[in-house]
DNA sequence: GCCAAAAGAGTTGATATCAATATATTCACG
DNA sequence: CGTGAATATATTGATATCAACTCTTTTGGC
């Protein structure tokens, strides 16, 4: 028999094994690293790819809309736009109908980058799903969507 | 019938709907905010709670071990320890058996904080699982573990 | 129309994240 | 036993994250 655990470490073990917050953070870090790596030749990160995707609309979205889509704080979005704007991938424009609001518009360079990134995503995501054969990827998506 | 989508936005919609990386980041942000809020009265974040938990061992873990447990870059761990050490919750000690290695040791204050945080976690996590009734939390954990 | 409340976004400060790189220590092998 | 490779961690620089606060603009009640 193995030595019984120290009393103070028992709740810690239960928490470590069960905490959905921890498990989600772990998975988020691992996936971000993986897709960061895949997109590196294109000069963007996985987060920037998702953000550019969220802006790829015929009718541009506002900051609040994009922040909600990414389940991200509005002020985080403000920060994340800076490198993209500096690289000329998108522009922040004032909404003429409501001058408090900003419309996020992809530039031609931004759209071109997204076109180049799509096959990279497809390849990497297919590889990921292949590794998760024992997992129902659809159920996983549904569960994550239920959380956020 | 609704207007057909602009060609350039079609792959974007597919990606937005299916990307496990995006869904995981979204859930990770939402859960971090939620548990950050729950732990705020204790002066720690959800990430710091997980980190303190990972250090709550009779035989202290090394940095590499803790980084692996959290699926976190080693250099990120170095940065994350600084506020905890400054607040006197843990100490970084040199491993006498291998002086390259650091053993991460909770202080009495750190252990006390963990004891206070455990019921907060339990309450908040129970509430979360209750909201996910339609979801198999066990399956979700298994899937996330398969990713990281 | 006026003014208070609400809504949208920006700024600041602290922590989090990782790649690239650097330093210190141990190990392996000759 | 000495030296180059491997291991463990630290530093730097850029981006990411959010709370607290501020600024601007719009809306609602009168």
């Amino acid at each position: 028999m193995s030595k019984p655990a120290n009393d103070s470490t028992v709740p810690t073990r239960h928490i470590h094994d069960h905490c959905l917050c921890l498990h989600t953070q772990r998975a988020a870090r691992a996936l971000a690293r993986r897709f960061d790596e895949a997109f590196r030749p294109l000069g963007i990160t996985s987060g920037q790819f998702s953000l550019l995707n969220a802006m790829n609309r015929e009718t541009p979205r506002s900051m609040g809309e994009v922040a909600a889509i990414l389940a991200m704080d509005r002020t985080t979005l403000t920060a994340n736009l800076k490198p993209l704007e500096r690289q000329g991938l998108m522009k922040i424009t004032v909404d003429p109908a409501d001058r408090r609001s900003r419309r996020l518009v992809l530039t031609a360079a931004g759209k071109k980058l997204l076109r180049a990134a799509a096959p990279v995503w497809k390849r990497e995501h297919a590889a990921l799903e292949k590794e998760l054969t024992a997992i129902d990827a659809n159920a996983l998506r549904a569960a994550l969507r239920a959380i956020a």
Side-chain angles (χ1 to χ4, degrees), chain A:
Chain A
M1 301 296 291
S2 65
K3 188 174 68 169
N6 181 318
D7 280 345
S8 78
T9 67
V10 171
T12 279
R13 290 182 189 184
H14 173 80
I15 291 169
H16 176 267
D17 288 342
H18 289 80
C19 185
L20 284 170
C21 186
L22 170 59
H23 282 97
T24 307
Q25 304 299 326
R26 281 173 47 88
R29 290 188 196 104
L31 285 180
R33 277 194 296 270
R34 176 176 187 150
F35 282 85
D36 282 356
E37 172 78 21
F39 289 127
R40 187 158 305 135
L42 296 170
I44 57 172
T45 65
S46 61
Q48 291 173 334
F49 174 72
S50 293
L51 177 45
L52 289 171
N53 258 314
M55 293 188 287
N56 189 25
R57 299 275 295 182
E58 299 177 66
T59 51
R61 289 191 165 112
S62 70
M63 298 206 47
E65 288 168 345
V66 170
I69 285 172
L70 302 178
M72 176 188 288
D73 191 279
R74 282 185 181 88
T75 69
T76 301
L77 177 57
T78 298
N80 291 2
L81 290 178
K82 291 189 175 177
L84 298 180
E85 190 178 28
R86 179 155 35 77
Q87 294 169 45
L89 300 175
M90 56 82 56
K91 284 202 297 188
I92 304 176
T93 67
V94 174
D95 184 345
D98 181 345
R99 302 207 339 258
R100 292 171 301 183
S101 181
R102 303 288 181 269
R103 296 287 157 182
L104 305 179
V105 186
L106 286 186
T107 62
K111 290 180 187 173
K112 183 180 177 185
L113 179 54
L114 265 189
R115 281 193 296 274
V120 174
W121 176 86
K122 189 175 180 184
R123 189 183 337 116
E124 192 63 34
H125 206 269
L128 170 63
E129 294 215 26
K130 195 175 179 185
E131 293 171 24
L132 298 178
T133 41
I135 305 293
D136 184 342
N138 288 321
L140 176 55
R141 268 186 288 272
L144 292 171
R145 199 173 283 136
I147 290 173

